[in-house]
Amino acid sequence: MSQKSKEQKSSAKKPKNVRHNYVKNPCEADNPQRLEADSPINEEHTDQIDETGSILTSHKDSVIHCLTIIGQIEGHYILSQQNKTTKYEHVIPLLVSIEEDERIDGLLILINTVGGDVEAGLAIAEVISGMKKPTVSIVLGGGHSIGIPLAVAADKSYIAKSASMTVHPVRTTGLTLGVPQTFEYFQRMQDRITTFVAENSGISKERYNQLVLNTGELVMDIGTILEGGEAVEEGLINEVGTVSDAIEALCAMIKQKKERRYQSCKEAEKG
């Protein structure tokens, strides 16, 4: 066989239209004739891992959007590129799209954050708490400072046994004016956080303020560090658990919602 014939035979064996650097998501249809638009899982969503730290996945006939909130919550000012950040201008539109996408059944939020911009964190937390789709959060590693409102904003919250949460007052960096108005401003901001946490968890405002103003635990600061079980005992988090526990709980909530919707449709048909 000639060299030219060997090359033609070798090239004939190579598949065409191969998508390089792409791992197929198990949720994608096996039928190649199916349009990607018909499935919520495609290459574009897989690429979101690099862009927003989120991905779609399926579990027990449910489509779940998994969102990670990591590092520091970046607000109106851009942080150093050396910092791991979660950008609120990425997360908020993403949450809106999840809420509006009928193909997505629920939202799983993985949290490992040191805190960050107060108003940006509260904005994200408000969007999560206002979603009608089932939401479950789990704190992995740490959910400190403004990460607490983010954790309690979900319908149900979990914390890993080894994770912790630091409750402390609002603080600032840079120059501040030593006038009564400055103190009042920080007090009002702290009240916003306290009110949100109390309304979305099982802890009272009074108890949360006690944890915030604790002077006997942190050497260089005031506040309280709560480990997994302690956060549950205080009423901040619902349960200690793993990612698997969080997924199972989310799927159960999705199933209940589908059953309620089915019953509503049946009653409407009878009426």
Side-chain angles (χ1 to χ4, degrees):
M1 184 182 294
S2 65
Q3 182 66 24
K4 184 176 180 180
S5 299
K6 290 181 180 180
E7 291 178 355
Q8 290 177 347
K9 186 175 181 180
S10 176
S11 62
K13 294 180 180 180
K14 294 181 180 179
K16 297 181 180 180
N17 299 324
V18 176
R19 292 185 294 182
H20 297 286
N21 299 324
Y22 172 61
V23 179
K24 180 181 176 183
N25 191 294
C27 294
E28 290 194 57
D30 293 329
N31 184 1
Q33 300 299 323
R34 181 176 178 181
L35 295 177
E36 287 189 353
D38 294 337
S39 174
I41 315 297
N42 53 37
E43 184 175 358
E44 178 182 355
H45 287 100
T46 304
D47 290 340
Q48 284 185 347
I49 298 177
D50 295 331
E51 298 296 330
T52 61
S54 63
I55 190 173
L56 284 170
T57 185
S58 66
H59 184 76
K60 294 185 177 179
D61 299 325
S62 298
V63 177
I64 298 172
H65 193 113
C66 178
L67 171 67
T68 57
I69 297 178
I70 61 172
Q72 193 166 348
I73 309 300
E74 186 178 271
H76 304 299
Y77 299 97
I78 299 176
L79 298 175
S80 169
Q81 292 185 353
Q82 295 179 346
N83 294 2
K84 291 283 187 179
T85 61
T86 296
K87 301 178 184 296
Y88 82 108
E89 70 268 25
H90 291 172
V91 175
I92 291 179
L94 179 61
L95 291 173
V96 174
S97 69
I98 294 170
E99 178 72 359
E100 294 298 319
D101 194 335
E102 296 181 354
R103 299 168 296 180
I104 300 176
D105 298 310
L107 173 65
L108 175 67
I109 309 163
L110 308 180
I111 300 175
N112 186 6
T113 178
V114 296
D117 189 283
V118 172
E119 292 189 344
L122 277 179
I124 297 173
E126 286 284 4
V127 175
I128 295 173
S129 67
M131 295 178 70
K132 293 182 180 180
K133 290 187 177 179
T135 56
V136 173
S137 66
I138 178 168
V139 178
L140 303 166
H144 309 294
S145 190
I146 201 63
I148 296 175
L150 292 169
V152 304
D155 297 327
K156 189 168 186 179
S157 56
Y158 284 83
I159 185 170
K161 187 177 181 180
S162 61
S164 65
M165 308 179 81
T166 303
V167 186
H168 64 72
V170 173
R171 57 177 64 130
T172 185
T173 58
L175 298 175
T176 59
L177 294 176
V179 293
Q181 291 90 334
T182 301
F183 174 78
E184 182 182 356
Y185 170 77
F186 283 113
Q187 183 61 50
R188 291 173 63 182
M189 185 175 291
Q190 182 62 53
D191 288 341
R192 289 161 59 192
I193 298 173
T194 302
T195 299
F196 183 89
V197 172
E199 290 178 348
N200 290 273
S201 69
I203 196 171
S204 65
K205 285 186 178 182
E206 293 74 19
R207 179 54 182 163
Y208 191 78
N209 282 327
Q210 289 177 0
L211 297 176
V212 167
L213 301 176
N214 180 20
T215 59
E217 185 165 340
L218 302 178
V219 176
M220 302 295 292
D221 199 354
I222 63 175
T224 307
I225 298 177
L226 300 174
E227 296 183 357
E230 296 172 333
V232 175
E233 292 174 2
E234 292 289 352
L236 272 178
I237 302 297
N238 295 127
E239 294 183 27
V240 175
T242 63
V243 172
S244 296
D245 296 327
I247 293 175
E248 290 292 336
L250 181 58
C251 289
M253 294 165 62
I254 292 171
K255 182 179 179 181
Q256 290 177 0
K257 184 175 181 178
K258 288 181 177 179
E259 289 175 350
R260 289 195 300 266
R261 185 183 302 170
Y262 177 77
Q263 292 297 330
S264 298
C265 292
K266 284 295 183 181
E267 293 174 0
E269 291 177 357
K270 292 179 179 179

